[in-house]
């Protein structure tokens, strides 16, 4: 019962934080580079950081519908207990109006742990560039209903489609792993330049 309520409230509550984060993001207006895929995101983020260093701000330990808005709003939860939440809910009213980060590039690791997350975050981030590493069955249990409803032939296709929202919303360039047939099938959704990396 608790898990069902948690699932139902996930995006509405995340939407509250996204609203304030979008306000701060608009004031900041950085070039946004999304690093996405089932695995390898954090490694690629660190590789990019090793090259760009202080030129960009990085979404360390923040890659979800809650984590990314928290990162933009400079909200840091300490012990993940319920007692923290009242203060966490108040912080966006203050932090949304704080001065924007000095960096002009925001490199953000973005995941898709559940159906709807890619769409939710991509509409919010509207990335300039997306780097898409791979598609595999991480968090696959969350995507089983999508195959039972016959929307997709396999869980892998459902996961790839959700990640595909980041590529679809990208404005300038999408860099994809061309060794993945699942990714290549989603490239028809991309309207900007595509760079294939094998």
């Amino acid at each position: 019962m608790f898990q069902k309520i948690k699932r139902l409230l996930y995006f509405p509550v995340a939407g509250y934080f996204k609203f304030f984060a979008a306000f701060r993001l608009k004031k900041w207006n950085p070039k946004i580079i999304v690093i996405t895929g089932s695995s390898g995101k954090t490694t690629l983020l660190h590789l990019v950081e090793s090259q760009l260093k202080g030129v960009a701000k990085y979404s360390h330990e923040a890659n979800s519908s809650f984590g990314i808005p928290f990162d933009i709003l400079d909200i840091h939860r300490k012990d993940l207990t319920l007692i923290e939440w009242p203060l966490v809910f108040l912080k966006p009213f203050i932090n949304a109006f704080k001065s924007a980060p000095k960096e002009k590039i925001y490199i953000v690791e973005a995941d898709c742990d559940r159906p709807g997350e890619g769409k939710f975050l991509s509409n919010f981030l509207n990335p300039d560039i997306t780097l898409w590493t791979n598609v595999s069955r991480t968090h696959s249990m969350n995507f089983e209903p999508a195959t039972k409803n016959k929307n997709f032939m396999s869980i892998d296709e459902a996961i790839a489609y959700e990640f595909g929202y980041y590529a679809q919303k990208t404005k300038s360039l999408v860099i994809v792993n061309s060794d993945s047939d699942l990714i290549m099938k989603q490239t028809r959704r991309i309207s900007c330049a595509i760079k294939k990396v094998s």
Side-chain angles (χ1 to χ4, degrees):
M1 178 71 171
F2 177 73
Q3 288 300 324
K4 190 174 182 181
I5 293 169
K6 190 177 173 183
R7 281 196 299 271
L8 285 171
L9 291 177
Y10 184 84
F11 287 117
V13 175
Y16 166 81
F17 295 101
K18 185 177 87 165
F19 173 81
F20 289 99
F23 177 79
R24 189 168 195 226
L25 196 60
K26 189 173 182 181
K27 281 200 314 176
W28 177 17
N29 194 30
K31 181 180 286 287
I32 296 174
I33 300 172
V34 163
I35 298 174
T36 195
S38 297
S39 60
K41 296 182 296 297
T42 303
T43 302
L44 184 53
L45 181 87
H46 287 296
L47 285 170
V48 172
E49 184 177 11
S50 73
Q51 298 303 305
L52 297 182
K53 298 185 171 59
V55 171
K57 180 183 181 331
Y58 307 89
S59 70
H60 292 298
E61 298 176 20
N63 63 13
S64 68
S65 296
F66 281 89
I68 294 168
F70 280 11
D71 187 59
I72 292 166
L73 290 167
D74 201 24
I75 296 172
H76 306 283
R77 293 186 62 194
K78 292 183 176 75
D79 52 19
L80 304 176
T81 59
L82 287 174
I83 201 162
E84 272 190 299
W85 278 102
L87 183 59
V88 168
F89 270 99
L90 287 173
K91 280 190 174 180
F93 288 97
I94 301 161
N95 293 12
F97 299 97
K98 286 170 70 173
S99 58
K102 66 182 186 305
E103 297 88 354
K104 295 300 179 188
I105 301 171
Y106 182 39
I107 300 177
V108 55
E109 180 183 334
D111 210 344
C112 286
D113 287 355
R114 58 191 46 78
E117 192 148 46
K119 187 175 185 179
F120 180 88
L121 284 171
S122 64
N123 285 333
F124 162 53
L125 292 169
N126 290 301
D128 294 280
I129 298 169
T130 293
L131 289 72
W132 190 357
T133 60
N134 57 25
V135 175
S136 62
R137 290 192 174 205
T138 53
H139 308 288
S140 59
M141 64 285 191
N142 294 329
F143 288 87
E144 286 174 8
T147 55
K148 286 176 184 170
N149 295 340
K150 306 285 193 253
N151 293 342
F152 299 97
M153 296 298 289
S154 70
I155 289 172
D156 305 275
E157 284 184 13
I159 294 169
Y161 189 82
E162 198 61 44
F163 277 115
Y165 280 109
Y166 296 115
Q168 183 178 332
K169 292 293 287 185
T170 302
K171 293 179 276 192
S172 299
L173 174 66
V174 178
I175 301 173
V176 297
N177 173 2
S178 62
D179 292 331
S180 170
D181 292 337
L182 289 162
I183 290 177
M184 294 311 294
K185 283 179 184 174
Q186 298 302 319
T187 57
R188 66 175 72 99
R189 298 165 62 187
I190 299 171
S191 56
C192 65
I194 302 171
K195 173 75 174 176
K196 299 172 185 175
V197 178
S198 177

